[in-house]
DNA sequence: CTCTAAACGAGACGGTACGTCACGTCTTCGA
DNA sequence: TCGAAGACGTGACGTACCGTCTCGTTTAGAG
């Protein structure tokens, strides 16, 4: 259980860098974000950035996912009432991505995924798999208890809910704003169509 | 009805440039696509590019929308059977975006929108409004004829269908592949929930 | 006799860049001179520098040789009196290299030559061959007219005079300062030893 | 006569580092020599380098002067025959600097001196003062014994001899090669001109 | 047929960011 | 305290791309 030789990496820099990325993303898009600016704001050498992240895309991805993981990942509640649980989940996420700061971060993440040919799949998995699995599990549970028909595909439901949110956040603050009633209507339609 | 003086623009260049963009996007992401490469492949001076498009984003947008408009814009059929019409529309689009070449183009368009802070809204409108309006009109028509409940919000349905497609195309060829049965199940759930 | 296609290089930039190099060399050594600083002072993109010079060494060399060629290359006079002619030449050059600005430029040239393994020979030839040939010719003329012994090697004399100047300029303003009497004494010793 | 606390410095490292510098200088110029490479080749931490030398310039200087002091510093002989003594000295040094390995080291030293504005004088003194003083003393002795005229300036002679060598070593292996006869001719001219 | 004017291929240009590299310092561990 | 290892801040390196510009050439309509 020994330590590799040499000076160990400064763990506090990690958080400082991710903070710098997020702060800069509030006022600039992914393309406008420069590694030099990140290094300058985090008071860090560029070498330190490239020692830890291969390029801008994974750095931005980690910065966004880090924030998302801390404040934006609402596990699907399980009160026994699927309809109410999905209402809760969708409204929570809808409010989260409506927050301009959060919307900017998510747009940056999409840009990071779309930027490089190779990394996009990995990034999307990091982002969507945890969210998806909560939803899928909750729906599958409802199927198992007989609350939903046996032939319901949980993936279909998860896709419709998450896709609605993604489309909304990518459509911009104006075009995509859905109100609570619309979230409710979506869940109602899906649930009523599945019973 | 006179013509401005000077040599008129060569109309054939337009298509050549858009072709070059699409060919390059098959092997590179939006960020990796350079205007120099487009000019070189289209055998065109860079000045000619900037004479016709303000920057990379609208050029890519037009290249993608041009292809989408030619082969991928399936208007919503209206056979009187809403369920069947939505089945048709969703399956057609699902197959279109499953084609790897088409998926790459759409990802590039999303990247173009996500890349620059300002242009994203305009680009999204170009892309989504025509698609959305067909869907919304079809659903609203069903509401008007009494085939759907009067309180159904067509935007909610359009969002769910388009969002499902967007999420699928962004999730990569592997992770997001839905099959025909799932498209059917989604439409069924929504329709059954809305009657 | 046509011109290659494309925008031709701006000839005026050449002089502006060389001026910028010389101005910067007055306040910084060769190592402290950065290509970025040159580009900034000359109001020029870095690409323009590298389009015309492969690296810092040949750029500095040309900048120095350009100035040397304009103001510092004193041809060897030929009044018939070899001793007086060499006096004149050596004193002129001695005064030239004693000028701090000139000394700095020459030191930079030496550094440029010493910096890169490969280029040094070429640089030295550019600098020393023209100077040397004038001296050698003048001495050889004196040999031919019988003013000097037939077995005198003009290269030996040229080396001694130029070497004295080089050592002086490299030794720094303090350590190497020779006065006019010493130049005279050197020429006298060489001439008297060769008659 | 006590010893400072802590682990004493490993004296053998000094030689290992200087060796590493010299080995690297055989295949790279001063500018191409990196402290990291020195540390790696000498199997030494960089901190150890900077504990002993303030920067690259003095390290290279010591490495070169160390070699020069061991094999290349030929004191001026004093056989009573000044002409023969200067012959000996100049030929010895000429052969030393003609050796390619030695030439590279000296070029590196010149580069080290020319690199930084401040250090050059100090380095030049280390290199030239010991050499110069031997020459000057020998010539002054000859003046004192009446072998040379009373008004001979020993510095002038020392400059001409050392300058010839410096010019030769900087001119590259090809351009600057003088042969023994030319060294003899130089000394003869100077001596005969000074008697 | 000349003249004017704009489009065109080519490529130089200023600027900005990239990702790498070296310098010289600092921080861990073990000797 | 010294030493090896290596992370660190700083800043220059040389490259690539953006969007503009400046050439000489080409292609139209106007006179």
């Amino acid at each position: 259980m020994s330590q590799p030789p040499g000076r160990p990496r400064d763990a506090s820099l990690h958080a400082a860098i991710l903070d710098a990325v997020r702060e800069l993303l509030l006022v600039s898009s992914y393309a406008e974000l420069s590694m030099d600016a990140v290094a300058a704001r985090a008071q860090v050498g560029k070498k330190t950035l490239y020692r830890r992240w291969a390029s801008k895309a994974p750095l931005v991805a980690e910065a966004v996912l880090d924030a998302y993981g801390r404040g934006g990942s609402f596990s699907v509640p399980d009160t026994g009432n699927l309809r109410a649980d999905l209402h809760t989940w969708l409204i929570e996420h809808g409010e989260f991505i409506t927050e301009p700061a959060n919307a900017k971060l998510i747009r940056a993440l999409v840009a990071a995924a779309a930027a490089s040919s190779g990394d996009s799949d990995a990034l999307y998995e990091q982002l969507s798999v945890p969210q998806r699995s909560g939803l899928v599990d909750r729906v599958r549970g409802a199927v198992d208890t007989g609350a939903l028909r046996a032939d319901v595909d949980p993936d279909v439901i998860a896709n419709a809910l998450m896709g609605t949110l993604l489309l909304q956040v990518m459509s911009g603050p104006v075009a995509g704003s859905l109100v609570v009633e619309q979230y409710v209507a979506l869940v109602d339609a899906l649930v009523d169509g599945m019973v």
Side-chain angles (χ1 to χ4, degrees), chain A:
Chain A
M1 194 58 204
S2 86
Q3 175 177 318
R7 176 178 176 176
R9 292 191 182 171
D10 186 337
S12 71
L13 291 180
H14 223 84
I17 293 167
L18 297 182
D19 280 341
V21 170
R22 284 186 292 259
E23 290 164 15
L24 289 169
L25 280 179
L26 295 185
V27 295
S28 47
S29 71
Y30 173 80
E32 294 158 4
L33 179 78
S34 81
M35 296 297 264
D36 292 62
V38 172
R41 173 172 270 262
Q43 302 249 72
V44 144
K46 278 206 290 176
K47 185 79 185 206
T48 299
L49 298 183
Y50 287 101
R51 224 193 307 274
R52 300 169 184 229
W53 295 277
S55 68
K56 189 163 68 164
L59 167 58
V60 168
E62 180 165 341
V64 175
L65 292 173
D66 177 56
Y68 204 68
R70 289 187 323 214
S73 187
F74 312 100
S75 60
V76 192
D78 189 351
T79 65
N81 183 342
L82 177 68
R83 183 188 309 263
D85 291 346
L86 293 183
H87 282 165
T88 304
W89 184 92
L90 189 58
I91 291 171
E92 274 183 339
H93 280 77
E95 286 175 348
F96 179 79
I97 66 171
T98 304
E99 197 72 31
N102 295 329
K104 281 175 179 166
L105 292 183
I106 294 176
R107 286 210 211 195
L109 181 61
V110 172
S116 56
S117 336
D119 309 335
S120 64
D121 295 6
L123 291 183
Y124 260 92
E125 279 185 30
Q126 284 190 273
L127 171 62
S128 63
V129 165
Q131 301 294 330
R132 170 187 301 274
S133 66
L135 271 180
V136 168
D137 289 351
R138 180 67 186 84
V139 174
R140 199 190 319 277
V143 172
D144 291 345
T145 62
L148 293 183
R149 290 204 316 271
D151 61 345
V152 162
D153 185 339
D155 282 324
V156 169
I157 308 309
N159 260 22
L161 297 181
M162 293 176 62
T164 292
L165 290 171
L166 176 61
L167 181 60
Q168 182 176 355
V169 77
M170 295 305 294
S171 297
V174 179
S177 38
L178 289 186
V179 291
V180 171
E181 289 76 29
Q182 294 179 303
Y183 292 134
V184 171
L186 173 61
V187 170
D188 286 346
L190 287 170
V191 170
D192 291 333
M194 292 187 294
V195 291

